[in-house]
Amino acid sequence: MDTNAVILFSAIFLIGGVLMAKFSSRLGVPALVLFIIVGMITGSDGLGYIYFDNASLTQSLGILALVLILFDGGLQTEWRRTKAVLPISLSLATVGVLITSGLFGVAAKMILDVNWNEALLLGAIVGSTDAAAVFAVLKGKNIKRKLQSTLEAESGSNDPMAMFLTLTLLQLAIGETAFGASVILSFFWQMGAGLLLGVLFGYAASWAMKNIELGSNGLYPVFSIAIALITYSATDLVNASGLLAVYAAALVLGNTKSLPYGQTIFRFHDGIAWMMQILMFIMLGLLVNPSELFSTWIVLKGLALSFILIVIARPIAVFLSSIPFKFTLKEKTFLSWAGLRGAVPIVLATFPLLEGLENSQLFFNLIFFIVLTSALVQGATIPFIGKKLGLTGPEVHVPSHSLELVSSTTVNAEMIPYTIRPSSKLIGKELSDISFPDKVLVSAIIRRDELIAPSGDTKIKVHDVLYILVENQKKSELEKVLGIRKTIGG
């Protein structure tokens, strides 16, 4: 394909991806499945418009996409909510991944004609849930906050564990290393150094954004992308977990108080994450051959392994790794069902493919089929299962607007949005009856996507979005009035 054709198809894929993302929830099918299907249909084994079999390029772009998707996930994660579920999330991300990988490996050994190392390698590849899939499926759903925060924190932090297990078992399979103390020490180094470097990069980025005047608000999102990329690459250079570092850096940056042009940065990365999801899943669809993927042997073995992963391995892992924590039976059941697989297992499956490992193409097709099954069966039913288990909250109202007038680097004030939750004590009160601090002004109210010019007798209603102009030093007082502990403007 020439350059013009590549540009044209990229544009078509992006437009199609945007439209599919818009209507995927109405169809009850996760958007990632539709993206993959587009790739398979347009590929050489489908309509034949595009011939693509470059596993190395897929792996490189897949890792780049994961870096930007994880960074966006970290930016959107509220530390106030996450720290309450951090222990169980880390338990699921480590112990849970180990148990899932081990049980799946045993099943793979029994079902497939492979040795133990290959079977456990398969288990490691599918051991982690996928951040892109989890963030996309849960976004805008009314699942209880505790469960949603647990799943998001788990999916954001378990990719490094799966990658460590995959690369270690792959090295064992090709004879480049042997299991011993060095492997265990490598694990602690990768996780510990990755977390530490991520936090350091996050604080450094926060300081730079707040103290260096870049001159244009459009440069702040560009700078944040550079932070994501340099965090990953610098951490990876010292053989630590770059993915964990990226998520940690974004978590610090996203919860920074008075981050300049914070809303601009968040929305920019949300768009970048969507673009990377579209391109990544379409490319993964192009890489697979449907005639091989849906062969009788792959379908039968894939269904058996998918059943074991979804119904046996994941639930056992969740129930065992959550023993020390106060989660109800229904909550554990939901966490078990919501363990979505996505791009990460497919990207990891390219590693044995590039090493030329025996049966690597078979593994790739099986992993691909399992991911599709997980996305279709679990992804499409998560809201239904949550409702049946009584784990849903009030309907989530997602405003379709944004407003950011000033930056805290140029003046000592900021315009911030605040959404009135159903539990807010401000509901039914008139603005004149609310004891706002001095020099705090409610400048606009968005109600059901309509602009309301506020006055003293304007009554606050649930789901109203208040845009409040506040001096930086008054934010803590405003937080108390609004009844929140979360840092505003971070």
Side-chain angles (χ1 to χ4, degrees):
M1 295 176 65
D2 60 24
T3 302
N4 187 58
V6 171
I7 294 174
L8 176 61
F9 274 105
S10 298
I12 293 173
F13 283 147
L14 286 175
I15 292 172
V18 169
L19 295 176
M20 284 186 289
K22 171 71 175 178
F23 296 106
S24 63
S25 58
R26 299 182 184 180
L27 297 174
V29 177
L32 67 91
V33 175
L34 299 180
F35 302 154
I36 288 175
I37 290 174
V38 168
M40 290 192 294
I41 290 175
T42 56
S44 56
D45 205 32
L47 298 177
Y49 291 142
I50 301 175
Y51 177 78
F52 183 79
D53 64 350
N54 194 328
S56 178
L57 178 61
T58 301
Q59 183 184 106
S60 299
L61 292 181
I63 292 175
L64 173 63
L66 291 176
V67 167
L68 295 177
I69 291 168
L70 275 176
F71 194 79
D72 174 62
L75 287 177
Q76 305 293 341
T77 300
E78 296 181 31
W79 174 245
R80 178 176 65 88
R81 299 185 185 280
T82 300
K83 68 180 180 180
V85 297
L86 190 60
I88 186 173
S89 298
L90 292 179
S91 180
L92 289 170
T94 53
V95 178
V97 171
L98 278 173
I99 296 174
T100 301
S101 301
L103 291 174
F104 186 89
V106 172
K109 173 64 177 173
M110 296 172 61
I111 294 174
L112 307 174
D113 185 21
V114 295
N115 59 44
W116 274 110
N117 199 95
E118 292 175 329
L120 292 174
L121 177 60
L122 269 175
I125 291 173
V126 301
S128 71
T129 58
D130 184 73
V134 170
F135 290 143
V137 170
L138 293 181
K139 192 170 187 177
K141 301 297 188 295
N142 57 336
I143 304 300
K144 284 189 175 180
R145 284 281 188 176
K146 179 175 73 170
L147 296 174
Q148 186 166 334
S149 296
T150 300
L151 289 167
E152 289 176 348
E154 177 201 4
S155 65
S157 57
N158 66 7
D159 292 345
M161 184 68 174
M163 181 167 284
F164 170 79
L165 290 175
T166 299
L167 295 179
T168 300
L169 288 167
L170 182 59
Q171 290 173 346
L172 289 171
I174 61 180
E176 287 189 0
T177 188
F179 185 80
S182 61
V183 173
I184 298 174
L185 291 174
S186 174
F187 168 75
F188 285 106
W189 167 256
Q190 287 197 32
M191 300 303 149
L195 180 61
L196 176 61
L197 288 173
V199 171
L200 291 177
F201 273 108
Y203 278 113
S206 172
W207 180 90
M209 286 188 174
K210 294 172 72 173
N211 291 278
I212 300 175
E213 176 59 57
L214 297 181
S216 170
N217 62 346
L219 292 176
Y220 287 86
V222 177
F223 184 76
S224 63
I225 281 188
I227 292 299
L229 299 181
I230 198 172
T231 299
Y232 174 83
S233 59
T235 306
D236 190 65
L237 281 175
V238 296
N239 294 319
S241 175
L243 294 178
L244 181 58
V246 164
Y247 186 73
L251 188 62
V252 171
L253 190 62
N255 287 272
T256 297
K257 186 176 182 179
S258 303
L259 183 68
Y261 297 105
Q263 295 301 314
T264 299
I265 293 171
F266 297 158
R267 285 175 171 80
F268 175 82
H269 277 281
D270 189 43
I272 287 292
W274 269 111
M275 184 178 73
M276 298 311 296
Q277 286 186 60
I278 293 171
L279 294 178
M280 176 174 61
F281 285 118
I282 289 177
M283 181 176 291
L284 292 172
L286 289 170
L287 188 62
V288 74
N289 293 322
S291 59
E292 297 177 6
L293 181 66
F294 297 112
S295 65
T296 303
W297 193 91
I298 292 292
V299 169
L300 293 177
K301 302 293 184 179
L303 286 174
L305 290 172
S306 295
F307 178 83
I308 290 169
L309 176 64
I310 296 171
V311 180
I312 299 176
R314 168 69 179 181
I316 291 176
V318 168
F319 275 77
L320 289 179
S321 56
S322 63
I323 287 176
F325 309 103
K326 295 180 180 180
F327 275 66
T328 66
L329 177 62
K330 289 183 177 180
E331 289 172 337
K332 292 180 181 180
T333 301
F334 181 80
L335 290 176
S336 300
W337 187 255
L340 290 174
R341 268 61 190 175
V344 173
I346 302 176
V347 172
L348 291 179
T350 62
F351 283 92
L353 202 63
L354 291 174
E355 290 291 342
L357 193 68
E358 186 180 2
N359 297 320
S360 59
Q361 185 62 53
L362 171 67
F363 292 169
F364 182 83
N365 290 331
L366 277 172
I367 296 300
F368 207 107
F369 185 88
I370 290 168
V371 167
L372 277 179
T373 305
S374 172
L376 283 170
V377 175
Q378 294 173 279
T381 57
I382 281 179
F384 173 78
I385 296 297
K387 185 176 181 180
K388 285 296 181 182
L389 292 173
L391 300 175
T392 55
E395 281 297 320
V396 177
H397 178 73
V398 182
S400 58
H401 48 81
S402 62
L403 180 63
E404 185 169 69
L405 300 183
V406 295
S407 166
S408 56
T409 62
T410 55
V411 296
N412 191 32
E414 192 171 359
M415 183 74 75
I416 62 169
Y418 177 74
T419 302
I420 301 296
R421 306 292 181 186
S423 59
S424 175
K425 296 179 180 180
L426 302 183
I427 296 174
K429 288 188 176 182
E430 295 182 354
L431 285 178
S432 58
D433 295 330
I434 301 174
S435 300
F436 286 114
D438 292 337
K439 299 183 180 180
V440 171
L441 176 66
V442 178
S443 302
I445 297 177
I446 305 294
R447 180 174 296 163
R448 297 187 180 278
D449 296 325
E450 293 184 1
L451 175 66
I452 294 177
S455 60
D457 59 356
T458 301
K459 284 189 176 182
I460 303 298
K461 295 185 178 181
V462 67
H463 298 316
D464 280 356
V465 180
L466 278 58
Y467 280 93
I468 308 172
L469 184 64
V470 54
E471 288 187 351
N472 290 333
Q473 61 267 31
K474 296 289 184 179
K475 284 187 176 181
S476 59
E477 296 180 41
L478 178 60
E479 290 176 10
K480 294 178 182 178
V481 173
L482 297 177
I484 59 177
R485 291 174 294 170
K486 172 182 176 292
T487 300
I488 299 174

